[in-house]
Structures are given as structure tokens and as C-alpha cells.
Amino acid sequence: MATRISPKAANSSHSIAPSIVASPKSDIRVVLDDHYASKVFTSLSPVAGHVSITTKRLVAFESIQIVLLGQTKTSFDGMSAPQEITHTFLKMVMPVPESTYPVPRVLEPGETYTVPFNFVIPSQLTINACNHERLADQVQQHHLLLPPTLGGWERDDMGPRMARVEYAIKARVIRDDGDGRKVRVMEACHPINVLPASVEEPPLSVSDSDNLYRMSKTKTLRRSLLATRYGRITAEAIQPGPAVLSPDGRRVMTHPMAHIRLTFEPEESKSSSSARPVLLPGIKSVSAKLAAHTFFSSGTISSFPNLGEWHGLYQLDRRGHYSTSVSLPPATFSEQPGWAPVNVAQQTTSSITRRDSGYAGSDSSSSSGVSIPSSSLSQSVPKLVFRNGQYHRVSQTEEQDDPKKPSQQQQTYTTTLSIPIALPTDKKTLVPTFHSCIASRVYALHLTIALAGSAGEKLALVVPVQVAVGSSSESASTNSPEFTETVATAAAAAEGGGSAESRSTTTTSGTGDQQEHDLPTFEEAAADAHLRPRVLHAPPEWQLRMQEERLQQQQQQQPQRRQGQAQGQLEQHMRGGFEGLVAARVYVEAACGRGCCT
């Protein structure tokens, strides 16, 4: 509802002296309720306020438009001027009731008009926000999620100036120019910062063609530069869980944990002397840094830019890639990790344990693991070898005499490193991982393992990590006393020695009873993300009926289609004379098939 204030009342507070009154100026402003410079909006957050309009002359207008805009902007250097591409993915228009407008629709000088508005940040975009071609349906699912603000934060958000994501409340006074064109008489803009809530994504399927990541690394170890090698070590990383930030992005609600599996293969001694003790490598430290990769393009992106080749050949659009990193606190080891010996021959005959898929209930007998010996599996599948152009079955004698088969005494040693990751939210603004139509942001964790007792050997891994933003309800649950007590209990159990999986307890609120739970290992947690039960919905009955009716119509139209083809062939052969008429009769009889055309 419009509120009019007299010129004297509007300017009495700004007057220098009682006899001097400042003349009003034409002005339009967007004022947000309870707003401050560092305020952050998230999904389903209300954005309320009003638009204040003041003029110094008569202004005829047609309507007042208040919109919430979300735009992605990318820019590239051109020959004469930079080229800027703008993609509007969000446009919400606030309806202004007719009772708000003055009659007639003329803004009088010296009066202040107030128009309230109220928006709600959506949790997802409409399907029209991404209507370009895509290589997979998963790409559109990501493009229909709100991207976070990029480039408008007080602290560094590790993004370039060539890629920006902006949210703003815009107010416009529009007038009809007479020939059907709309003219903006006045316009005001108020930017806002948005961090939309996001969910945990499944682990990426990283292949050798994905140049951005390196999940494993193998190196040969030597005591010195000129010494002989004494073994080979392989480091394999598992993608950690997401780093979940609070809705305002100022603290980390869930810290990720990086897990690295090390496998050491000692070099076999060629001398016939007695067996010497195995020299196991030591771990000096593990350094880490977080790299932010921003991808942007002048055209639409049809795939995930962090997977595969981003700068490919034969591309019509211009593409850019900007990366920067920040160092994380290194992890040092007061005690060397324990290496567990594993016999190579035993690995082939170890049992394969099938875990519960999650479909059976806790009372079902099928929920327990089923162990199947690998030896029985290998015996059921015969081994074949290609000789003289044919496949022959390998006998047990030939298999035992195979020189490539590992010996029973050969052993490898394995250990697992668990490295906590502390994100620098006090220095940087970490926007969540997102993929939009012309810009994307992903994060990669660089881990460097320095080995002790080797000739400066280091193992470098690059692991993908997701940065997500929790909802307001999750933030409230993490601040509850029950959550704090549970975390403190788990931390005390871990510091008290032993395995946290067998010592942690969960306190049930209201009862005071403690129940012991075995926490899953990181291998199980990674497998749970892949083995999560999927629900398949049967199609509704009306859809099945439509399919049946469509099949019946196709069956009814099939004889008519055959008769039409036969008639066309008949006319074609009749033009060819007598021989064509005989051929046409034979064709009609074959098409009819009922014997009535003879």
C-alpha cells in the first residue's frame, strides 16, 4: 500500500536550519528488512523489504516492476572490447496490486511512494532454465540447481573476474512510449549474497582420461640416489566425504577425512643367502592444499567440465579455466603407521564377503554377510591359454610350473593413513560445488606424502572433494546439546586410545541409556554411497491403458497401410503394360494373403 509523505515532513530531518529546506531529488531505492553487508541468504530464505520512490517533477508511468534476478556472467578479451555473456537463470516478478498505484498514475514531486515486496529464495530452478543440448541427464539435474554467489563476497572466494554469479533485487518505474515500447524511467538495484543448500553427491568415477585428478601413484624406492632399489610403493586415495558448511558459510559443520591406502612391495633378493629383514619405508609428513577450479564458457556446457578434456579440439565457443589454491595445515605423525604383512598367494584365496544391500530387514537372515571362498570360484572357471590358433585348458601341473605365478613366500605390506582436512573458512569464502549452464566450480585436494629414509621420494595425489552447504534445520541440529555431547563422546573415545569404532557410544536423549554401535570403516562408507537402495516406481494405470490403446490402433492401421502400398504398386505396374499388370496381380495377392483377389 502506497504511503505518501508531505515534502516538509520528508525533509525536516535533513534540514540544515529551520529557515532552509533542502529540495527533494528524484530517487528510487531498494530497502531490505534487517539487512547488513555480510548477510547471507540460503534456500527458502525470505527476502522482504520495500521500494522507496521520490521525484522532483511530475513523472507519468504505467507500472512499477520489482524482480528478483539471478544471472551468470562470463567475459573474454576481444579485439576492441571485452566480450561479456549473460545467462539469466532466475527471474521472479513481485505482483504489485492496483490499489498501490496513485490515481492518476503520476508521481508528484516532493512525495515519497513506498511499495513493499516479499520474495523466497527457491530451492530449485524451473526446467526452462536449462533447455540446451546435454550429453547426459545428470548434467541437467545439476544445471537446475541454484548456483551460489560468485565474485561478490567480502573475502576472497577464489574465483576470477571472468566468471561471476549475481543475485539482485531490481525495482523499475516503466512508462509506455506510445508506440508499444516500454521505457525505464527510473531503476534501482540491491545485490544480495546467496548460498543455496546442496545435497551430498555420490563419489566421482575417475578414469585415466580425467586429467584433473590422480587417485593413485606408484614409485620405486631407493635409499640414496646411487643405491639399488629396495621396493615399490603404491598410494591409492579414496574420495572423502563432502565438507558441509553452515548456511552462512562461516564455519564447517562436517569436516572431511582423507584416507590413503599404501601398499609396499619389497624387492626380492637374488642372492641365495639367508633372508634379510625387510626395510619398510617410513612416513615423514603429509602436506595438503585445496585447489579451486572455475570453468567458464561463452556457450552452453553440455558435460561436466572437470571430467574428460575441457579444452578440446573443434570447439566453436570460447572456454576458460582458472585455478587457485590455498595451503592447509600439514599432518605429522608422532608414531609411524603399522605395516600389516599380506601374502600375495593368500590374496587370491581370500574370502569374498558380500555385504548387506539394505533391502532386507534387520530380523531377516539374509542381512548377515555371506562368505564365498575364492578357491571354489577359481575352480569352477577353467583357465584357458591360446596356442596354435586354439584355446586349451591349463592343467594343474602347468599352472604350478608357471614362472609368472607369485611364490608362496612373496609378501606385501599395507597400511592406511587417515588425514583430517581443516578448511580455511576464516580466510576464504568457500562457495559450494556447482555446475551451471556457462560456469562451474569444483574443488580438488592435493595430498603429498613425504617418505622417510628414501632419496627425497614423494607421492602426489589429487582427490576430488565436494563442498556443500547444509540447510537451516541441519545447522540447528548440530548446535543442539545432544549433538555436541555425541561428538564430545566420540572425540574422547578416539583420544583415549584404541579404535573409535569399538569405543564410541551414542547417548539417547531423555532416557540416559547408552547403546554401543560399531561405526563403519571408510571402505564401508564409500561402498554405502554406491549401494544405496534405489526405489523403482511402477507406471500409473492410465499410462498403461494409453499404451494398450496405442498398440491396438497401430495393429488396426497396419492392414490399411498394406492395402495402400499394394494400390500404389498396382498403379505403377499398370503403367508398364501387360507384364506389369501380371506382376501387380501377384503383388496384390501376396499383400492381401486372404485368397479373395484371385
Side-chain angles (χ1 to χ4, degrees):
M1 183 175 182
T3 304
R4 300 184 181 182
I5 305 176
S6 62
K8 183 177 180 180
N11 298 283
S12 60
S13 60
H14 300 279
S15 60
I16 301 176
S19 59
I20 302 176
V21 178
S23 60
K25 297 181 179 180
S26 297
D27 185 26
I28 178 173
R29 295 182 301 164
V30 177
V31 182
L32 299 179
D33 298 341
D34 302 329
H35 188 72
Y36 46 92
S38 59
K39 187 172 183 178
V40 180
F41 297 90
T42 185
S43 302
L44 304 181
S45 294
V47 184
H50 66 275
V51 177
S52 177
I53 305 174
T54 304
T55 63
K56 63 178 181 180
R57 65 181 185 276
L58 292 175
V59 177
F61 71 98
E62 181 183 359
S63 62
I64 298 176
Q65 187 182 53
I66 307 174
V67 295
L68 169 60
L69 281 180
Q71 295 178 331
T72 305
K73 299 180 180 180
T74 60
S75 60
F76 296 88
D77 295 334
M79 296 296 295
S80 58
Q83 178 188 8
E84 184 174 288
I85 298 90
T86 301
H87 173 236
T88 302
F89 56 85
L90 176 64
K91 184 177 181 181
M92 301 176 65
V93 181
M94 178 69 190
V96 179
E98 295 291 334
S99 59
T100 305
Y101 297 121
V103 180
R105 297 195 178 186
V106 177
L107 300 177
E108 299 181 0
E111 293 196 6
T112 301
Y113 300 86
T114 303
V115 182
F117 63 85
N118 190 0
F119 293 98
V120 176
I121 303 296
S123 58
Q124 193 170 3
L125 302 175
T126 60
I127 196 172
N128 294 329
C130 178
N131 53 9
H132 59 88
E133 295 183 357
R134 300 160 302 273
L135 298 181
D137 296 337
Q138 291 80 5
V139 177
Q140 186 184 27
Q141 296 176 4
H142 283 266
H143 289 186
L144 295 181
L145 300 177
L146 263 72
T149 299
L150 188 63
W153 300 94
E154 295 179 348
R155 293 194 295 255
D156 180 22
D157 59 1
M158 308 175 72
R161 59 175 179 82
M162 296 81 71
R164 300 174 63 88
V165 179
E166 300 175 352
Y167 290 86
I169 304 292
K170 287 190 176 183
R172 303 162 180 166
V173 178
I174 301 177
R175 180 181 62 194
D176 193 355
D177 202 14
D179 54 354
R181 295 186 305 172
K182 304 294 182 179
V183 179
R184 301 177 187 176
V185 181
M186 306 173 68
E187 184 176 13
C189 179
H190 194 299
I192 59 175
N193 293 330
V194 177
L195 283 181
S198 52
V199 298
E200 178 182 355
E201 297 293 337
L204 297 180
S205 179
V206 181
S207 62
D208 296 337
S209 61
D210 302 328
N211 301 326
L212 193 62
Y213 309 112
R214 187 187 300 115
M215 303 298 292
S216 62
K217 183 68 175 180
T218 302
K219 273 197 172 184
T220 302
L221 300 182
R222 302 175 185 270
R223 289 296 177 184
S224 61
L225 185 61
L226 302 178
T228 60
R229 59 184 183 182
Y230 67 94
R232 185 177 63 175
I233 188 170
T234 302
E236 298 177 348
I238 299 176
Q239 181 176 345
V244 182
L245 306 178
S246 59
D248 56 2
R250 295 184 177 90
R251 60 185 180 86
V252 182
M253 295 167 45
T254 303
H255 293 270
M257 181 75 71
H259 301 281
I260 303 176
R261 179 182 177 88
L262 300 178
T263 303
F264 176 67
E265 301 177 8
E267 188 73 13
E268 293 183 359
S269 178
K270 298 182 180 180
S271 61
S272 58
S273 59
S274 60
R276 295 179 298 176
V278 178
L279 299 177
L280 298 176
I283 309 300
K284 185 184 301 182
S285 63
V286 178
S287 58
K289 67 177 181 179
L290 182 67
H293 298 270
T294 305
F295 301 90
F296 52 97
S297 173
S298 61
T300 56
I301 303 175
S302 59
S303 61
F304 294 110
N306 58 325
L307 300 178
E309 185 66 27
W310 171 243
H311 294 284
L313 300 177
Y314 311 108
Q315 292 178 352
L316 300 179
D317 53 350
R318 303 180 63 182
R319 294 187 172 187
H321 176 207
Y322 178 83
S323 61
T324 183
S325 60
V326 57
S327 298
L328 303 180
T332 58
F333 300 91
S334 58
E335 297 181 359
Q336 290 296 322
W339 294 88
V342 178
N343 196 318
V344 176
Q346 291 178 357
Q347 290 182 353
T348 59
T349 59
S350 60
S351 61
I352 302 175
T353 303
R354 179 175 178 177
R355 300 174 61 254
D356 180 22
S357 61
Y359 290 98
S362 58
D363 298 336
S364 177
S365 60
S366 61
S367 61
S368 58
V370 180
S371 299
I372 304 176
S374 295
S375 57
S376 61
L377 296 177
S378 60
Q379 292 175 2
S380 59
V381 180
K383 295 185 178 181
L384 303 178
V385 63
F386 189 77
R387 298 173 182 171
N388 300 327
Q390 294 182 355
Y391 284 96
H392 301 273
R393 179 174 297 181
V394 179
S395 62
Q396 296 182 357
T397 305
E398 294 177 348
E399 184 179 355
Q400 293 175 0
D401 297 339
D402 188 4
K404 298 182 180 180
K405 185 178 179 180
S407 60
Q408 300 291 334
Q409 289 78 18
Q410 185 179 357
Q411 285 186 343
T412 61
Y413 298 84
T414 62
T415 185
T416 302
L417 304 180
S418 299
I419 305 166
I421 305 301
L423 300 182
T425 54
D426 56 339
K427 301 179 182 179
K428 303 290 184 179
T429 298
L430 300 179
V431 300
T433 304
F434 74 93
H435 297 280
S436 65
C437 292
I438 61 175
S440 295
R441 162 64 69 86
V442 297
Y443 294 91
L445 187 63
H446 292 250
L447 301 173
T448 303
I449 307 171
L451 302 178
S454 300
E457 296 291 347
K458 294 183 178 180
L459 298 173
L461 302 176
V462 184
V463 186
V465 61
Q466 179 194 3
V467 176
V469 174
S471 59
S472 302
S473 58
E474 293 177 357
S475 177
S477 62
T478 55
N479 294 331
S480 61
E482 292 81 0
F483 181 83
T484 305
E485 185 177 359
T486 303
V487 173
T489 305
E495 294 177 358
S499 175
E501 295 140 358
S502 59
R503 297 176 59 89
S504 61
T505 57
T506 303
T507 304
T508 306
S509 60
T511 59
D513 298 332
Q514 294 183 348
Q515 302 175 355
E516 296 184 357
H517 296 279
D518 292 335
L519 298 180
T521 61
F522 66 92
E523 292 92 348
E524 295 176 349
D528 287 338
H530 292 281
L531 300 178
R532 192 172 301 163
R534 268 64 173 175
V535 180
L536 299 178
H537 298 278
E541 297 182 359
W542 61 268
Q543 187 175 1
L544 297 176
R545 289 196 300 268
M546 289 182 59
Q547 293 180 357
E548 293 178 358
E549 294 177 358
R550 191 180 298 109
L551 291 176
Q552 292 177 1
Q553 292 177 1
Q554 293 178 357
Q555 293 176 359
Q556 294 176 0
Q557 294 175 358
Q558 188 173 5
Q560 299 177 0
R561 200 179 301 111
R562 291 180 179 177
Q563 293 178 3
Q565 294 177 356
Q567 184 177 359
Q569 293 290 338
L570 176 61
E571 295 177 356
Q572 181 179 359
H573 289 301
M574 289 181 64
R575 298 189 188 98
F578 178 75
E579 296 179 357
L581 182 60
V582 175
R585 180 179 179 182
V586 175
Y587 182 83
V588 171
E589 293 177 357
C592 181
R594 291 180 296 181
C596 58
C597 301
T598 57

